């Protein structure tokens, strides 16, 4: 068992989750980025995301699409189109340099006004109560961006309300229960391998078939999204749990926005 409290490698975290048969069903196919793996993933899924092995805040994450004989990259608000795969991969290699990257199957997520949505689920370990889900918030990507992070200008909404708008009232309750179940299953996996970890932030997306996918797990999650919710009770609970294990947060969040009704 490791004494680490933070794991930066998305590859290590993905392999840990894939070790659970139940969780593996909710993990998009992920490979180390090479010319071969990217080509195969695009042939099979047509849309993928490439992301740094180590990184945060959505920095460096790009969406790659293959359609109508062309390859398109969405990098921030910029869009690059290539006539062939070789040209695409040369550009990617120039763009990322020597930094190791992963390629992940793209999920066609539910959207609000054409903008992708995902959900930040915060789970923390209290001294007496064990692992508890302390907050859920919806994140909607900034216009023309493929990532939902608040640090990239995303808008924050109350999770239940946005799920009802996009997935329907009856399905929303089931999805929220599933988010809770996935968070606890993830916490158990991490707790066994890294028993000193006290908090996790799961980024969960819902596809058009209303299936949940764990896009990423953060071992040092930023509570910034919860500062943008009208109801401050989740934020107070998160801060209280963190205080019990000695962590304090910077709650000045300038780039994330409060979602409009």
């Amino acid at each position: 068992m490791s004494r680490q409290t933070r794991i930066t490698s998305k590859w290590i975290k993905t392999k840990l989750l894939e070790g659970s048969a139940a969780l593996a069903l909710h993990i998009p196919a992920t490979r180390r980025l090479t010319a071969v793996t990217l080509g195969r993933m695009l042939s099979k899924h047509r849309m993928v995301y490439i992301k740094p092995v180590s990184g945060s805040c959505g920095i460096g994450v790009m969406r790659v699409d293959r359609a109508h004989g062309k390859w398109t990259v969405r990098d921030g608000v910029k869009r690059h189109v290539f006539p062939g795969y070789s040209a695409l991969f040369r550009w990617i290699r120039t763009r990322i340099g020597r930094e190791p990257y992963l390629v992940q199957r793209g999920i066609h997520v539910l959207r609000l006004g054409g903008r992708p949505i995902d959900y930040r689920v915060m789970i923390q370990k209290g001294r007496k109560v064990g692992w508890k889900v302390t907050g859920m918030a919806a994140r909607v990507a900034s216009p023309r961006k493929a990532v939902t992070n608040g640090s990239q200008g995303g808008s924050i909404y109350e999770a239940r309300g946005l799920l009802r708008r996009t997935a329907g009232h009856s399905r929303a309750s089931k999805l929220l229960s599933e988010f809770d179940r996935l968070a606890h299953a993830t916490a158990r996996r991490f707790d066994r391998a890294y028993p000193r970890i006290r908090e996790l932030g799961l980024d969960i997306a819902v596809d058009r078939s209303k299936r949940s996918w764990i896009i990423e797990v953060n071992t040092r999650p930023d509570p910034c999204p919860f500062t943008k919710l009208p109801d401050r009770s989740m934020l107070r609970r998160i801060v209280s749990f963190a205080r019990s294990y000695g962590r304090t947060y910077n709650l000045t969040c300038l780039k994330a926005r409060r979602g409009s009704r």
Side-chain angles (χ1 to χ4, degrees), residues 8-169:
T8 60
S9 170
K10 296 179 176 68
W11 181 246
I12 290 174
K13 289 183 283 188
T14 298
K15 300 310 288 182
L16 179 62
L17 295 178
E18 288 178 343
S20 161
L23 285 172
L25 297 173
H26 297 271
I27 309 300
T30 304
R31 304 287 184 268
R32 292 184 183 274
L33 177 67
T34 67
V36 173
T37 57
L38 178 60
R40 287 177 177 171
M41 292 277 276
L42 280 170
S43 294
K44 185 173 182 178
H45 302 296
R46 299 287 171 172
M47 187 266 283
V48 301
Y49 283 84
I50 61 172
K51 55 180 69 177
V53 170
S54 297
S56 61
C57 303
I59 297 170
V61 178
M62 292 174 273
R63 171 175 163 161
V64 186
D65 293 84
R66 178 186 178 185
H68 310 299
K70 294 182 180 180
W71 287 258
T72 304
V73 178
R74 179 64 59 83
D75 182 11
V77 296
K78 296 179 180 178
R79 185 169 173 269
H80 307 273
V81 181
F82 301 90
Y85 179 74
S86 296
L88 163 73
F89 195 76
R90 281 197 302 271
W91 182 89
I92 289 173
R93 267 295 161 213
T94 301
R95 168 71 173 77
I96 69 177
R98 291 182 171 272
E99 186 172 3
Y101 261 63
L102 301 178
V103 53
Q104 185 178 73
R105 172 189 171 183
I107 303 300
H108 291 284
V109 302
L110 296 180
R111 292 172 174 255
L112 180 69
R115 296 155 60 190
I117 306 167
D118 71 11
Y119 295 83
R120 167 55 61 88
V121 179
M122 189 86 168
I123 186 167
Q124 295 169 277
K125 190 176 185 181
R127 288 181 176 178
K128 297 181 179 180
V129 298
W131 287 99
K132 294 290 182 183
V133 171
T134 50
M136 294 186 189
R139 310 185 305 177
V140 180
S142 180
R144 298 173 58 204
K145 288 195 175 182
V147 296
T148 61
N149 304 69
S151 57
Q152 298 287 325
S155 298
I156 310 303
Y157 290 77
E158 189 269 329
R160 183 181 296 274
L162 197 59
L163 272 172
R164 285 176 171 174
R165 289 170 65 180
T166 57
H169 279 240

Side-chain angles (χ1 to χ4, degrees), residues 220-241:
R220 197 166 178 82
D222 184 354
C224 182
F226 301 96
T227 69
K228 303 301 179 181
L229 296 177
D231 181 355
R232 307 282 285 188
S233 61
M234 286 185 189
L235 181 64
R236 288 194 293 268
R237 185 162 57 245
I238 290 166
V239 170
S240 177
F241 264 71

